[in-house]
Every structure is written in structure tokens, then in C-alpha cells.
Amino acid sequence: MDRTALAEFLRRRRETLRPGDVGLPDGARRRAPGLRREEVASLAAMSTDYYTRLEQRRGPQPSPYMLGELARALRLTAHERAYLFRVAGHSPPETVATTGHVAPALLRVLDRLSDTPALILSDLGETLAQNQLAAALLGDRSGHTGLARSEVYRWFTDLAERERYPVEDRDRQSRAQVANLRAAYGSIGPRSRAGELVRALCAASREFAELWERHEVAQRFADHKTLIHPELGPIELDCQVLFTEDQSQALLVLTAAPRSEDEEKLRLLAVLGHQRFPSTAT
């Protein structure tokens, strides 16, 4: 671990960012350039004291997990992230697809989307980041671990995952999930996490195994879909997708038609968040 290189790199990257770059209000005039230490610590879900000690060359060696959180907070590119891992004494993760590192360009767009559901997915269907409205609409996906981080794995192994979609749309969604995974499998190979997902799903789900044999390949995201919220009911939304250059990550933005009942439901969702209505007799 090169404490000096790590400290200088963190400080320089912090000083190049502005609050607006990470979705924070600019606020009052600042005495020093860049973000404050406490802001970086908050974005990385660590204590200000811990982060401060890293910049002062006296902190403990960060774990790979903590480095990943710092890379996300500081909006590092893939090359910068690899450098961060090396100076901290760790081998850098091999590929973006297996690390959960969010493409900074997509994250900057997500930071600016607060009035409509939006989330960033990896090519394996892993939710890398989501705003509050997406969490309220689709559920908070940050707690999933292992293979269950992948939406396609949950779709075929947990029937509750399908409750957000109308019954008549679930077959099409199943095909889209498999076609997306087939595209990732062809890109990163059978010895990757995509291959691990395929083997696990073939063993766990007959439906998946049958669809996998169709060899359909596509990165499919329906441009119009209906999602079912537990309290607000069906919400019709348009889906716009922005891919990274290598197609490994996608930003999904869900919007409702202006002045529609669905737009009103999204506004109500922003107020309700994760709250649940009490059950009432009918």
C-alpha cells in the first residue's frame, strides 16, 4: 500500500469535483475548491474520520469494497479505479461487468434525475445505482447479494419478482431477460459471471433452460411498459435507454405521458416513497 500516492490521488480527485457533479446543491461560496471531505465520506457511506485519515496518510488499508465505494463517490473512470486499487495494495478487478463499478457518465446523468424513476443496470441485470423514485416504484435492490443481484436470476427463481408486471406481459419479459443474458454471455464468455448465471439457472429453472435453447440474442428494453405498484396499481410508462460505449451498462429512465393519470401516480409516488397504506375493509 502506497499511503502517499493514495492520499494524494484521493485529494486531487476530490478537488476536481463540484457539488453539482455528484448531485449535491452548490450551496454557499466555498473557501476551498472541490468537494468537502465529509461530502465524499457521505457519498461513500463511510465516516468522515475514516476518509480524513486516508487523505492524511495514516488510515488503515481500505478493503476492496471500500475502494469500490470511493471510486463511485469520486466518479472515477475504469482506469482511475484500477489505479486506486493498485496504490491501495489490491489487484484491480478485471472487468467492469464483474465489479459493479458504475460508469461515471451514466452516474452524472442519474444524479440529475430526481423527478422520474431511473436506474443503472449492468449487462447481467444487476442494479448498480437507482434513484429514490426507482426504489419506490421497483423496490430497493441494494440489499441483494450473490447471484440474486442479477434481475434475470431473481426473475426465474423468485416468483415475487414478477408481481410488478401484468400477467399478460410476463412471457415477453422472460424472453427479454434471457435474450439480454445471451448477449452478455456472448460478449464476456462462458467462464465469466454470465456463464455462472446460465449454469445456475439451467439447473434451477426449466422455463429458463427451454428459453436458453432458443438462442435469442438482444439487449431488449421495451419502449412502453406497464408496471404494477402495490398501492397505486398499474402505471403506464415509457422507457428510454442510454448505453455506455461498450454496451456493458445501461441507464433506464421511466417517464409518464404529460398530464396523464400515470404522471399523477408518479407524483404521488414521490410523496409516498416506501410507505404502505394500511389495509381497509371493502
Side-chain angles (χ1 to χ4, degrees):
M1 176 179 174
D2 187 335
R3 293 181 185 277
T4 299
L6 175 62
E8 289 298 313
F9 181 68
L10 291 175
R11 182 175 63 82
R12 292 290 184 181
R13 288 299 305 147
R14 176 173 61 82
E15 290 177 350
T16 62
L17 291 172
R18 296 294 181 269
D21 296 333
V22 296
L24 297 174
D26 288 328
R29 188 172 182 178
R30 295 171 177 240
R31 292 178 295 176
L35 296 180
R36 300 185 178 100
R37 286 171 175 170
E38 59 266 27
E39 291 171 332
V40 175
S42 176
L43 290 168
M46 62 180 61
S47 71
T48 301
D49 178 67
Y50 181 92
Y51 178 78
T52 299
R53 283 187 289 149
L54 290 178
E55 280 203 9
Q56 293 178 344
R57 310 176 192 180
R58 57 189 182 87
Q61 183 183 32
S63 68
Y65 173 80
M66 295 300 285
L67 292 172
E69 293 299 299
L70 281 170
R72 180 179 301 188
L74 294 169
R75 305 306 193 251
L76 302 186
T77 66
H79 291 299
E80 290 170 336
R81 188 175 191 273
Y83 176 81
L84 175 67
F85 271 70
R86 290 191 182 99
V87 297
H90 293 284
S91 297
E94 293 182 0
T95 65
V96 168
T98 61
T99 64
H101 174 56
V102 186
L106 294 188
L107 198 54
R108 284 195 295 271
V109 178
L110 181 66
D111 287 336
R112 288 161 173 76
L113 296 172
S114 59
D115 60 349
T116 196
L119 63 160
I120 298 174
L121 296 175
S122 75
D123 53 0
L124 300 182
E126 299 162 329
T127 298
L128 305 178
Q130 60 182 154
N131 64 12
Q132 292 182 353
L133 267 178
L137 177 65
L138 301 169
D140 185 354
R141 300 180 173 185
S142 62
H144 296 297
T145 59
L147 295 178
R149 290 188 60 222
S150 173
E151 183 180 17
V152 62
Y153 183 83
R154 300 193 307 273
W155 182 264
F156 288 100
T157 60
D158 183 0
L159 293 180
E161 188 73 14
R162 305 188 179 201
E163 294 177 356
R164 300 276 178 171
Y165 288 83
V167 173
E168 62 272 15
D169 192 39
R170 293 174 187 175
D171 287 344
R172 183 177 63 85
Q173 182 68 9
S174 292
R175 292 180 62 187
Q177 293 280 5
V178 177
N180 283 336
L181 181 56
R182 174 71 74 174
Y185 182 88
S187 175
I188 58 180
R191 300 181 66 181
S192 65
R193 275 178 50 81
E196 183 182 2
L197 276 168
V198 171
R199 291 187 291 273
L201 284 169
C202 282
S205 169
R206 181 176 179 180
E207 179 190 8
F208 174 87
E210 291 175 351
L211 290 173
W212 185 252
E213 288 304 312
R214 295 188 183 187
H215 287 261
E216 295 180 339
V217 184
Q219 287 183 311
R220 294 178 173 174
F221 299 95
D223 57 2
H224 187 82
K225 63 177 63 182
T226 299
L227 295 173
I228 301 175
H229 187 267
E231 277 74 41
L232 301 179
I235 307 176
E236 290 191 33
L237 299 167
D238 293 312
C239 179
Q240 300 296 323
V241 184
L242 176 65
F243 287 99
T244 53
E245 185 175 358
D246 63 2
Q247 304 285 297
S248 66
Q249 294 182 16
L251 170 66
L252 276 64
V253 182
L254 300 167
T255 60
R259 298 175 296 280
S260 66
E261 180 183 353
D262 303 293
E263 185 180 55
E264 287 299 319
K265 287 183 178 180
L266 283 186
R267 289 175 181 167
L268 182 57
L269 187 63
V271 176
L272 296 175
H274 299 289
Q275 297 180 43
R276 292 289 181 262
F277 293 121
S279 299
T280 58
T282 58

